[in-house]
Amino acid sequence: MAEQTAPPESTGAPGAISAGPPGPAAEVRPDKPDAAVVRDALGVGIAVGLSGFAFGVTSAGSGLSLLQTCVLSLLVFTGASQFALVGALAAGGNPYTAAAGAFFLGVRNAFYGLRLSQLLALPRAVRPFAAHWVIDETTAVTLPQPTRRAARIGFTVTGLTLYVLWNLTTLVGALGAEALGDTDAWGLDAASPAVFLALLAPMLKSTTERVTAGLAVLLALTLLPVLPAGVPVLLSALAAPVVLFLMGRAKRGPGAGDEDDAVTQRKKGGRRS
């Protein structure tokens, strides 16, 4: 996903997004033509929407019915969570554990919503429906837009294109899986992790993100043979706090603890005097 950049200062134009009072060093980005926003949004929506076929095949191959597969895409509509759910079920995991893993993966969308609500400023009546489209791709297209109008166009076009295509290709994939029969014989069980990695890789831009992802994979692979299906994915989330803690310690340096103690002692001495 694209990095979350701060919105530009107000340009004075209608619909411009303001991040605070204008100043002499305010960065002003020119308006982006609506056609360019639509083009970018369609590109993302179509490219990712077609991967719904892989989910349909994987879901049907894991034992879910055609109706269950389609309802998942219609109501859940967050690819990583859907793949995590059917992947855990296909591996024989407990349904509650599989649902918990899918839930925790979907929590990130709530944080996207906090950011997008400020940029889009949609009417209250529309917000519950728009919330269903708050996912990685709509966030990536919306955040870089220079004006509120462009942000709304990018969000709407991406969300609509992706939602329609994802559900259509889910249906086609599920029907195709039934026609193929045993999906394991075709090696289609690799479709889920392949698509997930394709979506994840472009988002790993910083060293911290790459190290966190690598440690999470290592944890999951290490715990996979000894824990029930779905549990290793949940525990791999521990990679994030571990990496942040270690990197924080590295930035402070080996003598940081002694310096902190010295500062604390000086403060105590000042209060006694």
Side-chain angles (χ1 to χ4, degrees):
M1 194 192 84
E3 292 186 4
Q4 297 190 7
T5 55
E9 305 291 348
S10 175
T11 61
I17 301 173
S18 174
E27 178 186 355
V28 177
R29 287 185 289 176
D31 290 348
K32 189 174 183 179
D34 292 351
V37 180
V38 171
R39 181 195 62 223
D40 295 343
L42 285 174
V44 173
I46 292 173
V48 180
L50 293 176
S51 62
F53 177 83
F55 171 72
V57 171
T58 305
S59 179
S62 67
L64 271 68
S65 68
L66 177 63
L67 178 61
Q68 290 171 327
T69 298
C70 292
V71 167
L72 265 178
S73 281
L74 285 168
L75 300 183
V76 178
F77 187 54
T78 171
S81 296
Q82 293 178 229
F83 276 119
L85 176 64
V86 299
L89 292 176
N94 184 289
Y96 296 104
T97 303
F103 171 79
F104 283 114
L105 280 174
V107 165
R108 70 192 188 283
N109 294 334
F111 295 98
Y112 295 160
L114 294 175
R115 184 76 174 106
L116 293 182
S117 64
Q118 300 175 1
L119 297 180
L120 299 175
L122 296 173
R124 290 184 179 275
V126 179
R127 291 177 188 176
F129 302 98
H132 195 48
W133 288 355
V134 176
I135 53 176
D136 297 328
E137 292 74 22
T138 53
T139 304
V141 172
T142 302
L143 288 180
Q145 304 306 329
T147 64
R148 176 160 290 128
R149 173 183 172 82
R152 287 178 172 179
I153 293 174
F155 178 83
T156 303
V157 175
T158 306
L160 179 61
T161 305
L162 185 50
Y163 188 75
V164 171
L165 268 181
W166 180 268
N167 282 282
L168 285 177
T169 54
T170 293
L171 174 62
V172 173
L175 290 173
E178 291 184 354
L180 290 173
D182 183 11
T183 56
D184 290 340
W186 294 80
L188 295 177
D189 53 330
S192 171
V195 172
F196 183 74
L197 289 175
L199 294 174
L200 178 64
M203 304 178 192
L204 305 178
K205 297 183 177 181
S206 69
T207 302
T208 303
E209 292 169 347
R210 296 189 186 101
V211 172
T212 303
L215 180 58
V217 171
L218 182 62
L219 280 174
L221 293 177
T222 303
L223 298 174
L224 189 61
V226 297
L227 293 177
V231 175
V233 175
L234 293 177
L235 294 180
S236 65
L238 295 174
V242 169
V243 171
L244 292 176
F245 173 77
L246 294 177
M247 295 193 72
R249 295 273 296 183
K251 288 181 179 179
R252 292 175 60 188
D258 297 336
E259 294 176 3
D260 291 343
D261 291 341
V263 171
T264 302
Q265 291 297 330
R266 286 198 297 270
K267 288 182 178 180
K268 289 181 178 178
R271 283 197 294 267
R272 282 196 297 268
S273 60

